[in-house]
Amino acid sequence: MRDDQWLLEKMNNIWSSLFPEVERKNNVVIRFKGRWKNKFGHIKRLKNKDTEIVINSLFKDLNVPAYIVNLTIAHELVHYMHGFNSPYQQQFKHPHKGGVVNKELKNRGYEDLLKLERRWFKDEWLKIYLNLIKD
Ligand SMILES: [Zn+2]
């Protein structure tokens, strides 16, 4: 079952395998929230200085491939290492400036998955989304 504990384990695995040199400088929490069509996730700083990563709740559904969840987590972790809503110094004016997130993900071996994700978003997501928001 995809719950918040499953997300936490995924994040920890992705963090240690994909971002081993990125030190965790504060407490990072992750949870499912929202039922969004055009947003996969976000990262924000909480009042207590923790970082919160949020993943679209609709991705709990098993029709959404697990690699979409992985990519979303990895995407938010890139923001973390670039200093957006994390204790790191902010490295860019805007979080997506010049495609910095995808560049970082490509450097870390996610290029093929990014292509798959684009195709899935274009060809599959709308059907799944419309089906999920019915109930
Ligand atoms: Zn982003």
Side-chain angles (χ1 to χ4, degrees):
M1 190 182 58
R2 295 182 183 177
D3 56 13
D4 289 354
Q5 182 59 34
W6 179 84
L7 269 186
L8 178 65
E9 281 162 24
K10 261 199 175 308
M11 180 180 76
N12 288 339
N13 287 339
I14 291 166
W15 201 317
S16 54
S17 57
L18 215 61
F19 304 94
E21 88 289 7
V22 178
E23 189 195 336
R24 203 179 295 207
K25 294 190 178 208
N26 65 336
N27 189 39
V28 180
V29 295
I30 184 165
R31 64 187 179 109
F32 283 112
K33 191 187 160 189
R35 292 164 69 81
W36 301 304
K37 183 179 173 191
N38 289 313
K39 186 162 102 164
F40 284 10
H42 69 230
I43 182 167
K44 74 173 192 180
R45 202 81 189 265
L46 301 176
K47 282 205 183 77
N48 67 3
K49 296 289 181 190
D50 284 359
T51 290
E52 181 190 63
I53 292 174
V54 158
I55 305 296
N56 191 342
S57 288
L58 297 175
F59 291 1
K60 285 181 188 173
D61 192 88
L62 294 177
N63 288 309
V64 175
Y67 73 80
I68 296 291
V69 180
N70 294 357
L71 264 178
T72 306
I73 294 171
H75 179 109
E76 303 308 334
L77 290 179
V78 171
H79 287 320
Y80 182 89
M81 69 178 280
H82 286 165
F84 291 97
N85 297 302
S86 80
Y88 282 94
Q89 190 173 359
Q90 190 178 316
Q91 288 184 33
F92 307 97
K93 193 159 186 230
H94 301 291
H96 297 111
K97 188 175 170 60
V100 286
V101 174
N102 283 347
K103 267 182 206 156
E104 191 69 57
L105 290 172
K106 280 178 193 167
N107 286 341
R108 290 171 190 259
Y110 269 34
E111 182 160 18
D112 291 345
L113 276 185
L114 285 168
K115 282 185 195 145
L116 275 181
E117 180 195 41
R118 264 198 299 277
R119 186 171 312 153
W120 176 84
F121 185 66
K122 198 162 67 79
D123 299 342
E124 309 291 337
W125 170 234
L126 187 61
K127 273 181 291 182
I128 297 171
Y129 171 79
L130 292 174
N131 204 37
L132 286 174
I133 56 159
K134 273 194 319 214
D135 33 68

